[in-house]
């Protein structure tokens, strides 16, 4: 289907706006992709300019000055940075181990699984919590988690990752079941202008068509690489939640390994058909282990990926002249 990139649509013959009249409010590709994602998640989906746009909108629309957010420790670094910046707006945060019960807070923000430490939330403990439960399900995707069924009030996605799946669209999403929250999120999104581009929304529609098959293959290859990494003498620790395509593992010199791969791109981000790997301490400092490599397993042949990893782990700083 051709993508309608219009920003305006004429009013009807009575001079009244139709379903689409100005693209910041809604546009056809966005509405179609929201419908499909909402169907997959069992809720009302809204799209945003990026995953962080979605997170920002959740906090603008649903948090209040004086509120505290209990944030899963070891979760996506950008979320903790955003919450740190919102201190000026009277929002504070505390990190906690999401495999156990959360501390008192107005909002509990979990990640399923946490990027890059790959822990999963304790849903039973969350169900008893009085606060608003937000779950970033970027890595699980609706294929492996129905977070609203588990008890989340709001699901957040960076659709930039597996949902679109090709490293060529920047996109975020929220999904809720409560009409009041959906209306408030929509109102803030439109007025703050944190909206998705039509082409990115169209990429989501295409991505959802193949999501199940892609996720099955990401998982199969990642599980096989985990088995092999666990036996490799250069690897001291492997983290993997048992589903999806992201692994993190520790080596002595992450910089040498990440710069020695050929098939696996030494690049940030995750969830694409092409595998990517990076040392996360470059961004996160000592928040995570210095030798931690985050590998997003793509759709390439698993033996070729393993050959690339083993040759990279056999290199030394001396070989590379660094
Ligand atoms: N949430 C998770 C788990 C992520 O990994 C990322 C990006 O890496 C984001 C949110 C932010 O998404 P975006 O880069 O689309 O803003």
């Amino acid at each position: 289907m051709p993508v309608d990139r219009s920003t305006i649509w004429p009013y009807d013959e009575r001079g009244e706006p139709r379903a689409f009249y100005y693209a910041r409010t809604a546009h056809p590709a966005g509405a179609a992709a929201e419908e499909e994602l909402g169907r997959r998640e069992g809720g009302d989906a809204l799209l945003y300019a990026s995953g962080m746009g979605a997170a920002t909108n959740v906090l603008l629309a649903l948090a209040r000055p004086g509120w505290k957010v209990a944030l899963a420790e070891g979760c996506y670094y950008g979320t903790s940075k955003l919450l740190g910046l919102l201190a000026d707006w009277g929002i504070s945060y505390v990190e906690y181990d999401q495999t156990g019960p959360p501390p008192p807070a107005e909002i509990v923000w979990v990640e399923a699984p946490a990027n890059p430490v790959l822990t999963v939330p304790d849903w039973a403990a969350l169900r008893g919590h009085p606060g608003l439960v937000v779950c970033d399900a970027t890595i699980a995707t609706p294929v492996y988690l129905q977070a609203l069924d588990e008890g989340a009030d709001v699901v957040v996605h960076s659709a930039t990752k597996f949902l679109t799946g090709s490293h060529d669209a920047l996109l975020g999403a929220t999904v809720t079941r409560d009409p009041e929250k959906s209306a408030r999120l929509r109102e803030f999104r439109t007025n703050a202008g944190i909206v998705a581009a039509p082409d990115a929304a169209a990429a989501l529609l295409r991505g959802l068509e193949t999501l199940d098959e892609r996720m099955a293959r990401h998982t199969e290859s990642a599980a096989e690489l985990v088995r092999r990494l666990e036996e490799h003498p250069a690897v001291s620790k492997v983290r993997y939640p048992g589903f999806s395509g992201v692994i993190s593992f520790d080596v002595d010199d992450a910089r040498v390994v990440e710069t020695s791969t050929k098939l696996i791109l030494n690049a940030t981000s995750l969830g694409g058909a092409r595998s990517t790997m990076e040392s996360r301490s470059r961004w996160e400092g000592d928040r995570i282990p210095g030798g931690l490599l985050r590998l997003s397993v793509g759709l390439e042949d698993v033996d070729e990926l393993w050959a690339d990893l083993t040759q990279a782990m056999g290199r030394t700083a001396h070989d590379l002249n660094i």
Side-chain angles (χ1 to χ4, degrees):
M1 260 195 343
V3 179
D4 184 346
R5 301 185 180 88
S6 311
T7 55
I8 53 165
W9 294 269
Y11 298 138
D12 69 14
E13 51 292 340
R14 293 166 300 129
E16 292 299 322
R18 300 173 203 259
F20 304 113
Y21 58 95
Y22 187 51
R24 179 155 52 75
T25 308
H27 51 70
E34 285 169 354
E35 174 83 28
E36 189 53 24
L37 181 61
R39 199 185 59 73
R40 290 292 309 241
E41 290 275 10
D44 293 324
L46 290 168
L47 298 183
Y48 302 85
S50 66
M52 291 318 297
T56 302
N57 201 56
V58 168
L59 292 163
L60 286 178
L62 304 178
R64 297 282 176 281
W67 279 22
K68 186 193 279 180
V69 179
L71 179 67
E73 83 194 0
C75 75
Y76 177 55
Y77 182 51
T79 306
S80 66
K81 291 273 283 189
L82 171 65
L83 283 164
L85 291 169
L86 289 177
D88 290 347
W89 278 260
I91 295 171
S92 61
Y93 78 100
V94 58
E95 297 196 37
Y96 86 101
D97 175 0
Q98 69 169 350
T99 64
E106 283 77 14
I107 297 181
V108 186
W109 194 293
V110 296
E111 212 170 88
N115 166 16
V117 299
L118 300 174
T119 56
V120 291
D122 176 349
W123 287 108
L126 287 168
R127 278 192 281 270
H129 197 280
L132 182 85
V133 175
V134 179
C135 176
D136 181 331
T138 295
I139 294 180
T141 80
V143 174
Y144 297 113
L145 178 69
Q146 300 291 305
L148 296 172
D149 288 346
E150 293 292 345
D153 298 299
V154 183
V155 177
V156 169
H157 286 289
S158 168
T160 312
K161 320 293 180 187
F162 292 104
L163 292 182
T164 53
S166 297
H167 299 304
D168 62 359
L170 196 65
L171 190 69
T174 58
V175 197
T176 47
R177 263 181 201 156
D178 170 4
E180 261 179 47
K181 288 189 184 68
S182 297
R184 178 122 175 124
L185 287 166
R186 184 184 288 278
E187 186 181 23
F188 261 88
R189 179 187 69 168
T190 295
N191 289 292
I194 316 175
V195 294
D199 286 286
L204 174 59
L205 263 185
R206 284 195 300 277
L208 288 172
E209 280 178 14
T210 57
L211 185 66
D212 292 288
E213 292 77 9
R214 287 186 292 109
M215 294 313 294
R217 186 171 164 110
H218 286 300
T219 298
E220 195 187 330
S221 297
E224 180 56 33
L225 292 178
V226 164
R227 274 192 285 281
R228 298 184 192 186
L229 283 166
E230 276 169 345
E231 295 188 349
H232 195 285
V235 177
S236 53
K237 181 171 179 130
V238 184
R239 301 170 199 80
Y240 183 60
F243 57 86
S244 193
V246 182
I247 300 169
S248 66
F249 62 100
D250 296 355
V251 294
D252 278 349
D253 195 336
R255 187 50 72 101
V256 170
V257 178
E258 68 172 327
T259 54
S260 298
T261 56
K262 297 185 170 70
L263 177 61
I264 300 168
L265 276 182
N266 184 203
T268 196
S269 202
L270 55 96
R274 179 81 188 262
S275 297
T276 50
M277 185 167 77
E278 70 168 332
S279 147
R280 285 300 296 175
S281 65
R282 86 174 66 236
W283 303 114
E284 306 189 33
D286 56 14
R287 187 173 180 260
I288 44 118
L292 183 150
L293 285 165
R294 187 187 67 201
L295 169 63
S296 174
V297 180
L299 302 178
E300 304 92 335
D301 178 78
V302 71
D303 290 323
E304 285 180 31
L305 289 171
W306 181 243
D308 196 28
L309 279 173
T310 48
Q311 68 78 23
M313 289 191 290
R315 306 294 289 272
T316 63
H318 181 260
D319 294 334
L320 300 183
N321 231 350
I322 58 175

